[in-house]
Amino acid sequence: MTDGQPEFVSDPNTGKGIQGLLARIEHISNEPRYVGKLSAHDNGMLEVTGFAYPLGYSGRVIATDGREISAEVVGFKGSRALMIPMVQDAPLRSGSRVMPYLKSNEAAVGDALFGRIVGPMGEPIDGKGPILATESVPLSGLEGNVMRRASVTKPIDMGIRALNGLLTFGQGQRVAIIAGSGVGKSMLINQILDGVVADVVVVGLIGERGREVNDFVNRRNAKKDAVPTITVAVPADHSPSSRLKAAHRATAIAEHFRSQGKSVVLVIDSLTRVAHAQREIGLAAGEPPTMKGYPPSALSMIPRLIERAGNDSETGGSITAIYTVLADGDDLDDPVVDSARAIADGHIILSRSLAEQGIFPAIDVGKSISRVAVDIIDDHHHAAQTHFRRLWSIFEENRDLVLMGAYQAGSDPNIDEALAQWPIMVDYIKQKPRELINFQQSVSDLASLFEP
């Protein structure tokens, strides 16, 4: 057989027992498969001849130690396919065979995933055996009619007083949590998942520390009444292709349950690591860096991923999506931060200054916003929100003036009120990491303290 010619081969990704048998039966086909040959390996980019498959498809490169290393098509150079391997330190040599794996662009879905932790290719990594999922959906999602995207009409209970009362979020809303490193993004996510009301929770832990993945899983397992949770985890030491594929897999799983009419909460922690992965792939493929070192594909990927969440008017299902965004150097004008803030339906800014004062969650109310809050809350709630935000803004604007002793009490009644209410505002925001406050209580506390 010559390279690039059709060859009838069985799928190499088979296991033992019933699961392996089902996989073999599923992949038996009369369609030809093209087997490629590795011809070059440069800076983590593989050049493969004879691999006639489109962008996004994957193959398995046969390493010298017998392992089958997954790799994904990210571009082309003439007739050669450019591929990014999932394992970057594998012993590969020129001439290695590259076998196609056509199911790599699909995500296994179903109730069998509840309580499981999977890797970027959908493989179980929790030691609980194979996942007997019988359905699959496209990894990159289906392009739907924009008119099917329903409006956000009702609030969702986050279990956190500051979010329920001051930044009311709705079912089907897309929210970005933006902060520098070490300000409390992961703690806030854990607290939200402890108190959120939903049918299914899908969590993508992308590019996080391995210890944090284990801590998250242990916390979810310890909570006996937790919402059914599916976790897709890829630590920081994995390849950029793995990180990118994991984000799409988590989103595809959430889309499946939305299509069944369920209320889904999707968490991607963090969106910045996903953008960094796309940046690495884009630069390796020869894209020119444009804005602060990011190629166009890295920034265009963000709205494509976020826009997959939301409400479905036909099924009645929803995906309430929460994306954490790392502001490198606390720079809120970073391209990834700016792109996420522009496309999301609201954002939460965490303040390092508040965190250093021991305030948790360290939410900067003045810089945070929910773009749908005014449509889903009543007039009394909105009036209390507006009053709180006005006092917060007045205090922040005049903080330096007061600290320098340049302000004399009684000169401005608005500043006097803001100074008097500041301790009460801080107490309202504060909440213990494992304390949960429901939506009704959050609104009642706000109205009793700040309704004008």
Side-chain angles (χ1 to χ4, degrees), residues 62-335:
I62 311 301
T64 57
D65 59 3
R67 285 187 295 166
E68 297 180 350
I69 308 301
S70 296
E72 182 179 353
V73 179
V74 297
F76 303 97
K77 181 182 290 186
S79 62
R80 297 185 177 188
L82 302 179
M83 306 182 73
I84 290 283
M86 296 289 184
V87 180
Q88 295 182 318
D89 58 351
L92 304 177
R93 67 182 179 188
S94 180
S96 296
R97 288 162 62 87
V98 182
M99 311 294 291
Y101 180 44
L102 303 185
K103 299 293 286 184
S104 65
N105 65 333
E106 296 184 358
V109 294
D111 294 353
L113 289 169
F114 288 161
R116 301 301 301 271
I117 301 98
V118 301
M121 302 298 292
E123 72 281 10
I125 58 175
D126 52 7
K128 296 182 180 179
I131 299 173
L132 302 179
T134 57
E135 300 177 74
S136 62
V137 295
L139 204 61
S140 57
L142 294 173
E143 185 176 352
N145 189 334
V146 68
M147 299 307 296
R148 285 188 56 174
R149 193 55 47 83
S151 301
V152 178
T153 58
K154 60 182 179 179
I156 185 171
D157 190 348
M158 293 287 195
I160 298 177
R161 181 166 51 198
L163 300 185
N164 287 337
L166 300 173
L167 300 166
T168 309
F169 293 111
Q171 187 172 300
Q173 187 171 352
R174 292 84 53 86
V175 183
I177 300 179
I178 303 170
S181 57
V183 183
K185 296 187 300 299
S186 296
M187 290 179 62
L188 181 58
I189 286 293
N190 279 320
Q191 192 170 11
I192 289 173
L193 293 181
D194 284 345
V196 74
V197 177
D199 297 324
V200 182
V201 169
V202 182
V203 181
L205 300 177
I206 315 298
E208 296 298 310
R209 305 175 187 89
R211 173 190 60 79
E212 289 183 341
V213 174
N214 194 47
D215 290 347
F216 172 83
V217 171
N218 290 337
R219 175 166 177 154
R220 301 307 298 166
N221 290 339
K223 190 171 176 59
K224 301 303 181 183
D225 58 343
V227 177
T229 303
I230 303 165
T231 306
V232 183
V234 182
D237 58 346
H238 282 50
S239 71
S241 185
S242 297
R243 282 175 268 152
L244 194 60
K245 199 170 276 290
H248 286 292
R249 183 171 298 276
T251 306
I253 293 172
E255 287 176 321
H256 166 74
F257 289 107
R258 178 181 62 186
S259 69
Q260 295 183 335
K262 294 183 178 180
S263 170
V264 184
V265 171
L266 169 66
V267 175
I268 299 294
D269 185 17
S270 75
L271 184 65
T272 303
R273 306 300 186 197
V274 180
H276 287 178
Q278 183 61 54
R279 178 176 64 181
E280 293 180 47
I281 293 173
L283 293 176
E287 277 191 79
T290 52
M291 188 179 297
K292 292 189 177 180
Y294 286 95
S297 63
L299 300 180
S300 65
M301 176 274 304
I302 294 174
R304 289 203 309 271
L305 189 64
I306 293 178
E307 275 296 301
R308 293 172 64 180
N311 293 324
D312 190 325
S313 60
E314 290 193 8
T315 65
S318 66
I319 299 177
T320 306
I322 302 172
Y323 304 91
T324 66
V325 183
L326 176 64
D328 292 326
D330 292 338
D331 181 12
L332 297 183
D333 293 324
D334 179 82

